[in-house]
Amino acid sequence: MQHYYDTLFEYISQIIDIPEHDRAQCRNNFKPLRVARDTMLEVAGKVPVHHNFIVSGFMRKFYINDKGEEITVDLNNGPRFFTSYFPFVNQTISNEYLYCITDCELLRITKADADSSAKTSITQKDYTIRLFQQIQEEDRQRMNDLATLTAEQRYVKLMKDCPAIIKNVPLKYIASYLGIKPESLSRIRREIS
């Protein structure tokens, strides 16, 4: 299980240096979990219990619109935190689902453990602020891409920036994430080939 924590610390160190004191807290508070593919990790209508860090595997975050369609709003590209972030932080009901597309290795922390470690952590507050800013920037960039790029441009950008998603995530989820119908994505893929 040590590789779980090594992956977490490598990810965090891209944003902030993490001292041994905080590493020890992470080892104590983040619990490892293996999850089988096709598992619904969290469902809408509930307060998220865990903040998840994906060590390996692919997940998607989605909601169901008023037409009953699943709308994918996030796909992970490698290790990263993956949670209904604002409902978790504020302990409010989420309208999102978290779904394991593949087998996943996760580290999870509860809100109570996160709050407790924040009181003694040297870097958690700074890291949380930077993570929040990063999430906001990713959301802003995604909205900008949906508003300004054509469907083909969005797909080409995803191919360039996130080839692992193209390789490991079913087309129907990629199409939903790009804001297009699966048949339109199939046509775009044919035209690009």
Side-chain angles (χ1 to χ4, degrees):
M1 297 285 172
Q2 182 57 40
H3 81 278
Y4 282 53
Y5 298 101
D6 291 343
T7 303
L8 173 66
F9 299 147
E10 183 179 319
Y11 179 82
I12 291 172
S13 69
Q14 295 172 18
I15 298 173
I16 195 169
D17 289 329
I18 181 168
E20 184 52 41
H21 172 270
D22 289 2
R23 289 173 187 251
Q25 280 190 321
C26 287
R27 287 185 199 98
N28 187 49
N29 291 326
F30 278 91
K31 307 302 182 206
L33 178 69
R34 288 190 175 138
V35 183
R37 68 185 304 236
D38 296 324
T39 297
M40 193 69 69
L41 197 61
E42 290 184 10
V43 296
K46 296 188 177 184
V47 175
V49 176
H50 294 97
H51 191 36
N52 304 290
F53 178 78
I54 303 171
V55 175
S56 69
F58 289 85
M59 292 176 65
R60 76 180 183 120
K61 183 176 1 177
F62 69 96
Y63 70 91
I64 298 176
N65 70 11
D66 57 0
K67 296 176 186 172
E69 301 166 326
E70 294 181 2
I71 307 298
T72 301
V73 295
D74 201 359
L75 297 167
N76 74 295
N77 183 40
R80 67 176 265 223
F81 284 99
F82 204 84
T83 303
S84 293
Y85 187 74
F86 297 106
F88 173 79
V89 168
N90 298 310
Q91 288 296 277
T92 57
I93 293 173
S94 174
N95 70 336
E96 297 172 325
Y97 297 80
L98 298 183
Y99 175 78
C100 296
I101 298 168
T102 64
D103 292 343
C104 292
E105 295 177 321
L106 307 174
L107 285 171
R108 308 177 89 194
I109 188 170
T110 64
K111 177 72 164 119
D113 283 343
D115 289 346
S116 174
S117 69
K119 294 174 184 170
T120 58
S121 172
I122 298 165
T123 58
Q124 185 174 335
K125 181 179 178 182
D126 289 339
Y127 180 77
T128 301
I129 291 168
R130 290 183 187 178
L131 179 63
F132 174 73
Q133 291 169 337
Q134 180 180 327
I135 290 168
Q136 281 188 313
E137 178 56 27
E138 289 169 0
D139 288 347
R140 187 201 62 74
Q141 184 61 53
R142 178 167 153 62
M143 287 187 286
N144 186 59
D145 288 352
L146 287 169
T148 62
L149 300 178
T150 66
E152 182 176 334
Q153 289 169 328
R154 291 192 302 272
Y155 180 70
V156 169
K157 181 178 180 182
L158 187 67
M159 278 180 29
K160 179 180 170 260
D161 295 345
C162 306
I165 287 177
I166 302 300
K167 183 178 177 184
N168 293 287
V169 174
L171 286 180
K172 64 182 179 179
Y173 301 148
I174 293 171
S176 175
Y177 179 71
L178 294 173
I180 57 178
K181 298 289 183 198
E183 51 274 12
S184 297
L185 180 55
S186 293
R187 178 186 51 77
I188 289 168
R189 286 169 51 94
R190 278 193 309 273
E191 291 173 0
I192 290 174
S193 300

PDB file of all heavy atoms in Angstrom, residues 2 4 12 14 22 33 36 55 57 70 77 94 112-113 115 120 134-135 148 160 166 171 190:
ATOM      1  N   GLN A   2       2.148   1.137   0.187  1.00  0.00           N
ATOM      2  CA  GLN A   2       3.003   2.322   0.236  1.00  0.00           C
ATOM      3  C   GLN A   2       2.925   3.126  -1.063  1.00  0.00           C
ATOM      4  O   GLN A   2       2.988   4.350  -1.040  1.00  0.00           O
ATOM      5  CB  GLN A   2       4.458   1.930   0.525  1.00  0.00           C
ATOM      6  CG  GLN A   2       5.397   3.116   0.650  1.00  0.00           C
ATOM      7  CD  GLN A   2       4.981   4.122   1.717  1.00  0.00           C
ATOM      8  OE1 GLN A   2       4.539   3.754   2.793  1.00  0.00           O
ATOM      9  NE2 GLN A   2       5.099   5.406   1.405  1.00  0.00           N
ATOM     10  N   TYR A   4       0.404   3.796  -2.760  1.00  0.00           N
ATOM     11  CA  TYR A   4      -0.736   4.704  -2.690  1.00  0.00           C
ATOM     12  C   TYR A   4      -0.263   6.068  -2.175  1.00  0.00           C
ATOM     13  O   TYR A   4      -0.549   7.113  -2.771  1.00  0.00           O
ATOM     14  CB  TYR A   4      -1.796   4.169  -1.722  1.00  0.00           C
ATOM     15  CG  TYR A   4      -2.688   3.064  -2.225  1.00  0.00           C
ATOM     16  CD1 TYR A   4      -2.162   1.904  -2.782  1.00  0.00           C
ATOM     17  CD2 TYR A   4      -4.058   3.155  -2.097  1.00  0.00           C
ATOM     18  CE1 TYR A   4      -2.996   0.884  -3.204  1.00  0.00           C
ATOM     19  CE2 TYR A   4      -4.896   2.133  -2.517  1.00  0.00           C
ATOM     20  CZ  TYR A   4      -4.360   1.005  -3.074  1.00  0.00           C
ATOM     21  OH  TYR A   4      -5.179  -0.004  -3.497  1.00  0.00           O
ATOM     22  N   ILE A  12       0.883  15.940  -4.591  1.00  0.00           N
ATOM     23  CA  ILE A  12       0.847  17.137  -3.754  1.00  0.00           C
ATOM     24  C   ILE A  12       2.107  17.983  -3.950  1.00  0.00           C
ATOM     25  O   ILE A  12       2.030  19.208  -4.003  1.00  0.00           O
ATOM     26  CB  ILE A  12       0.668  16.762  -2.264  1.00  0.00           C
ATOM     27  CG1 ILE A  12      -0.730  16.189  -2.033  1.00  0.00           C
ATOM     28  CG2 ILE A  12       0.903  17.965  -1.361  1.00  0.00           C
ATOM     29  CD1 ILE A  12      -0.945  15.602  -0.650  1.00  0.00           C
ATOM     30  N   GLN A  14       3.708  18.620  -6.463  1.00  0.00           N
ATOM     31  CA  GLN A  14       3.646  19.457  -7.664  1.00  0.00           C
ATOM     32  C   GLN A  14       3.063  20.829  -7.338  1.00  0.00           C
ATOM     33  O   GLN A  14       3.238  21.772  -8.096  1.00  0.00           O
ATOM     34  CB  GLN A  14       2.801  18.790  -8.750  1.00  0.00           C
ATOM     35  CG  GLN A  14       3.387  17.506  -9.276  1.00  0.00           C
ATOM     36  CD  GLN A  14       2.435  16.786 -10.210  1.00  0.00           C
ATOM     37  OE1 GLN A  14       1.489  17.353 -10.722  1.00  0.00           O
ATOM     38  NE2 GLN A  14       2.693  15.510 -10.432  1.00  0.00           N
ATOM     39  N   ASP A  22       3.267  16.358   7.981  1.00  0.00           N
ATOM     40  CA  ASP A  22       2.015  16.279   7.229  1.00  0.00           C
ATOM     41  C   ASP A  22       1.887  14.955   6.483  1.00  0.00           C
ATOM     42  O   ASP A  22       0.784  14.421   6.326  1.00  0.00           O
ATOM     43  CB  ASP A  22       1.904  17.456   6.265  1.00  0.00           C
ATOM     44  CG  ASP A  22       1.648  18.771   6.994  1.00  0.00           C
ATOM     45  OD1 ASP A  22       1.590  18.770   8.241  1.00  0.00           O
ATOM     46  OD2 ASP A  22       1.514  19.805   6.315  1.00  0.00           O
ATOM     47  N   LEU A  33      -8.270   2.101  -0.483  1.00  0.00           N
ATOM     48  CA  LEU A  33      -9.458   1.339  -0.880  1.00  0.00           C
ATOM     49  C   LEU A  33      -9.311   0.925  -2.339  1.00  0.00           C
ATOM     50  O   LEU A  33      -8.956   1.747  -3.188  1.00  0.00           O
ATOM     51  CB  LEU A  33     -10.716   2.217  -0.717  1.00  0.00           C
ATOM     52  CG  LEU A  33     -12.042   1.603  -1.131  1.00  0.00           C
ATOM     53  CD1 LEU A  33     -12.442   0.466  -0.175  1.00  0.00           C
ATOM     54  CD2 LEU A  33     -13.134   2.669  -1.167  1.00  0.00           C
ATOM     55  N   ALA A  36     -13.896  -1.962  -7.492  1.00  0.00           N
ATOM     56  CA  ALA A  36     -14.077  -2.662  -8.762  1.00  0.00           C
ATOM     57  C   ALA A  36     -14.690  -1.737  -9.806  1.00  0.00           C
ATOM     58  O   ALA A  36     -15.438  -0.804  -9.477  1.00  0.00           O
ATOM     59  CB  ALA A  36     -14.978  -3.882  -8.555  1.00  0.00           C
ATOM     60  N   VAL A  55      -5.471   6.992  -7.002  1.00  0.00           N
ATOM     61  CA  VAL A  55      -4.087   6.548  -7.167  1.00  0.00           C
ATOM     62  C   VAL A  55      -3.928   5.968  -8.565  1.00  0.00           C
ATOM     63  O   VAL A  55      -2.973   6.278  -9.281  1.00  0.00           O
ATOM     64  CB  VAL A  55      -3.718   5.505  -6.085  1.00  0.00           C
ATOM     65  CG1 VAL A  55      -2.327   4.937  -6.325  1.00  0.00           C
ATOM     66  CG2 VAL A  55      -3.830   6.124  -4.689  1.00  0.00           C
ATOM     67  N   GLY A  57      -6.530   4.217 -12.016  1.00  0.00           N
ATOM     68  CA  GLY A  57      -7.856   3.935 -12.544  1.00  0.00           C
ATOM     69  C   GLY A  57      -8.522   5.194 -13.082  1.00  0.00           C
ATOM     70  O   GLY A  57      -7.972   6.294 -12.993  1.00  0.00           O
ATOM     71  N   GLU A  70     -27.601  11.385 -18.519  1.00  0.00           N
ATOM     72  CA  GLU A  70     -26.384  11.519 -17.719  1.00  0.00           C
ATOM     73  C   GLU A  70     -25.447  12.504 -18.410  1.00  0.00           C
ATOM     74  O   GLU A  70     -25.102  12.319 -19.574  1.00  0.00           O
ATOM     75  CB  GLU A  70     -25.685  10.166 -17.562  1.00  0.00           C
ATOM     76  CG  GLU A  70     -26.480   9.174 -16.752  1.00  0.00           C
ATOM     77  CD  GLU A  70     -25.764   7.845 -16.575  1.00  0.00           C
ATOM     78  OE1 GLU A  70     -24.617   7.689 -17.052  1.00  0.00           O
ATOM     79  OE2 GLU A  70     -26.358   6.947 -15.950  1.00  0.00           O
ATOM     80  N   ASN A  77      -7.637  12.245 -15.467  1.00  0.00           N
ATOM     81  CA  ASN A  77      -6.533  11.894 -16.348  1.00  0.00           C
ATOM     82  C   ASN A  77      -5.325  11.631 -15.453  1.00  0.00           C
ATOM     83  O   ASN A  77      -4.506  12.495 -15.234  1.00  0.00           O
ATOM     84  CB  ASN A  77      -6.248  13.037 -17.328  1.00  0.00           C
ATOM     85  CG  ASN A  77      -5.167  12.684 -18.313  1.00  0.00           C
ATOM     86  OD1 ASN A  77      -5.113  11.565 -18.790  1.00  0.00           O
ATOM     87  ND2 ASN A  77      -4.299  13.626 -18.603  1.00  0.00           N
ATOM     88  N   SER A  94     -25.166  16.710  -2.545  1.00  0.00           N
ATOM     89  CA  SER A  94     -24.604  16.780  -3.895  1.00  0.00           C
ATOM     90  C   SER A  94     -25.631  16.316  -4.920  1.00  0.00           C
ATOM     91  O   SER A  94     -26.456  15.452  -4.634  1.00  0.00           O
ATOM     92  CB  SER A  94     -23.357  15.889  -3.982  1.00  0.00           C
ATOM     93  OG  SER A  94     -22.877  15.843  -5.308  1.00  0.00           O
ATOM     94  N   ALA A 112     -14.498  14.735   8.842  1.00  0.00           N
ATOM     95  CA  ALA A 112     -14.053  14.891  10.232  1.00  0.00           C
ATOM     96  C   ALA A 112     -12.536  14.772  10.332  1.00  0.00           C
ATOM     97  O   ALA A 112     -11.885  15.571  11.022  1.00  0.00           O
ATOM     98  CB  ALA A 112     -14.733  13.858  11.125  1.00  0.00           C
ATOM     99  N   ASP A 113     -11.949  13.794   9.643  1.00  0.00           N
ATOM    100  CA  ASP A 113     -10.489  13.635   9.676  1.00  0.00           C
ATOM    101  C   ASP A 113      -9.792  14.799   8.985  1.00  0.00           C
ATOM    102  O   ASP A 113      -8.737  15.257   9.439  1.00  0.00           O
ATOM    103  CB  ASP A 113     -10.068  12.312   9.048  1.00  0.00           C
ATOM    104  CG  ASP A 113     -10.308  11.119   9.961  1.00  0.00           C
ATOM    105  OD1 ASP A 113     -10.489  11.323  11.181  1.00  0.00           O
ATOM    106  OD2 ASP A 113     -10.320   9.988   9.446  1.00  0.00           O
ATOM    107  N   ASP A 115     -10.913  17.897   8.768  1.00  0.00           N
ATOM    108  CA  ASP A 115     -11.016  19.050   9.675  1.00  0.00           C
ATOM    109  C   ASP A 115     -10.066  18.914  10.854  1.00  0.00           C
ATOM    110  O   ASP A 115      -9.428  19.886  11.270  1.00  0.00           O
ATOM    111  CB  ASP A 115     -12.453  19.208  10.175  1.00  0.00           C
ATOM    112  CG  ASP A 115     -13.412  19.681   9.101  1.00  0.00           C
ATOM    113  OD1 ASP A 115     -12.939  20.147   8.033  1.00  0.00           O
ATOM    114  OD2 ASP A 115     -14.636  19.577   9.310  1.00  0.00           O
ATOM    115  N   THR A 120      -3.689  20.857  12.895  1.00  0.00           N
ATOM    116  CA  THR A 120      -2.277  20.653  13.239  1.00  0.00           C
ATOM    117  C   THR A 120      -1.356  20.576  12.029  1.00  0.00           C
ATOM    118  O   THR A 120      -0.144  20.558  12.186  1.00  0.00           O
ATOM    119  CB  THR A 120      -2.112  19.361  14.065  1.00  0.00           C
ATOM    120  OG1 THR A 120      -2.614  18.256  13.301  1.00  0.00           O
ATOM    121  CG2 THR A 120      -2.846  19.477  15.392  1.00  0.00           C
ATOM    122  N   GLN A 134      -7.159  25.680  -8.292  1.00  0.00           N
ATOM    123  CA  GLN A 134      -6.948  24.806  -9.446  1.00  0.00           C
ATOM    124  C   GLN A 134      -8.277  24.269  -9.967  1.00  0.00           C
ATOM    125  O   GLN A 134      -8.518  24.248 -11.175  1.00  0.00           O
ATOM    126  CB  GLN A 134      -6.019  23.661  -9.047  1.00  0.00           C
ATOM    127  CG  GLN A 134      -5.721  22.686 -10.166  1.00  0.00           C
ATOM    128  CD  GLN A 134      -4.783  21.582  -9.689  1.00  0.00           C
ATOM    129  OE1 GLN A 134      -3.913  21.788  -8.854  1.00  0.00           O
ATOM    130  NE2 GLN A 134      -4.989  20.398 -10.215  1.00  0.00           N
ATOM    131  N   ILE A 135      -9.154  23.847  -9.066  1.00  0.00           N
ATOM    132  CA  ILE A 135     -10.468  23.335  -9.464  1.00  0.00           C
ATOM    133  C   ILE A 135     -11.275  24.426 -10.164  1.00  0.00           C
ATOM    134  O   ILE A 135     -11.908  24.185 -11.196  1.00  0.00           O
ATOM    135  CB  ILE A 135     -11.227  22.770  -8.243  1.00  0.00           C
ATOM    136  CG1 ILE A 135     -10.557  21.475  -7.776  1.00  0.00           C
ATOM    137  CG2 ILE A 135     -12.699  22.541  -8.548  1.00  0.00           C
ATOM    138  CD1 ILE A 135     -11.038  20.989  -6.423  1.00  0.00           C
ATOM    139  N   THR A 148     -16.470  28.183 -26.722  1.00  0.00           N
ATOM    140  CA  THR A 148     -15.706  28.787 -27.822  1.00  0.00           C
ATOM    141  C   THR A 148     -15.142  27.805 -28.839  1.00  0.00           C
ATOM    142  O   THR A 148     -14.784  28.222 -29.944  1.00  0.00           O
ATOM    143  CB  THR A 148     -14.534  29.632 -27.276  1.00  0.00           C
ATOM    144  OG1 THR A 148     -13.633  28.784 -26.558  1.00  0.00           O
ATOM    145  CG2 THR A 148     -15.038  30.754 -26.379  1.00  0.00           C
ATOM    146  N   LYS A 160      -4.997  15.487 -27.443  1.00  0.00           N
ATOM    147  CA  LYS A 160      -3.639  16.003 -27.233  1.00  0.00           C
ATOM    148  C   LYS A 160      -3.294  16.070 -25.750  1.00  0.00           C
ATOM    149  O   LYS A 160      -2.221  15.634 -25.336  1.00  0.00           O
ATOM    150  CB  LYS A 160      -3.524  17.393 -27.860  1.00  0.00           C
ATOM    151  CG  LYS A 160      -2.181  18.052 -27.685  1.00  0.00           C
ATOM    152  CD  LYS A 160      -2.168  19.432 -28.341  1.00  0.00           C
ATOM    153  CE  LYS A 160      -0.924  20.190 -27.970  1.00  0.00           C
ATOM    154  NZ  LYS A 160      -1.119  21.156 -26.913  1.00  0.00           N
ATOM    155  N   ILE A 166      -8.720   9.045 -23.751  1.00  0.00           N
ATOM    156  CA  ILE A 166      -9.162   8.523 -25.045  1.00  0.00           C
ATOM    157  C   ILE A 166      -8.992   7.007 -25.084  1.00  0.00           C
ATOM    158  O   ILE A 166      -9.840   6.289 -25.605  1.00  0.00           O
ATOM    159  CB  ILE A 166      -8.370   9.191 -26.198  1.00  0.00           C
ATOM    160  CG1 ILE A 166      -8.530  10.720 -26.173  1.00  0.00           C
ATOM    161  CG2 ILE A 166      -8.755   8.606 -27.546  1.00  0.00           C
ATOM    162  CD1 ILE A 166      -9.943  11.222 -26.327  1.00  0.00           C
ATOM    163  N   LEU A 171     -16.451   5.763 -25.267  1.00  0.00           N
ATOM    164  CA  LEU A 171     -16.799   6.917 -26.097  1.00  0.00           C
ATOM    165  C   LEU A 171     -18.046   7.645 -25.617  1.00  0.00           C
ATOM    166  O   LEU A 171     -18.120   8.866 -25.701  1.00  0.00           O
ATOM    167  CB  LEU A 171     -16.989   6.498 -27.552  1.00  0.00           C
ATOM    168  CG  LEU A 171     -15.718   6.186 -28.325  1.00  0.00           C
ATOM    169  CD1 LEU A 171     -16.060   5.789 -29.762  1.00  0.00           C
ATOM    170  CD2 LEU A 171     -14.773   7.372 -28.315  1.00  0.00           C
ATOM    171  N   ARG A 190     -13.988   9.450 -37.233  1.00  0.00           N
ATOM    172  CA  ARG A 190     -13.794   8.955 -38.596  1.00  0.00           C
ATOM    173  C   ARG A 190     -13.135  10.010 -39.461  1.00  0.00           C
ATOM    174  O   ARG A 190     -12.222   9.719 -40.235  1.00  0.00           O
ATOM    175  CB  ARG A 190     -15.134   8.536 -39.216  1.00  0.00           C
ATOM    176  CG  ARG A 190     -15.600   7.155 -38.813  1.00  0.00           C
ATOM    177  CD  ARG A 190     -16.741   6.662 -39.678  1.00  0.00           C
ATOM    178  NE  ARG A 190     -17.860   7.614 -39.794  1.00  0.00           N
ATOM    179  CZ  ARG A 190     -18.861   7.693 -38.941  1.00  0.00           C
ATOM    180  NH1 ARG A 190     -18.910   6.887 -37.897  1.00  0.00           N
ATOM    181  NH2 ARG A 190     -19.834   8.557 -39.136  1.00  0.00           N
TER     182      ARG A 190
END
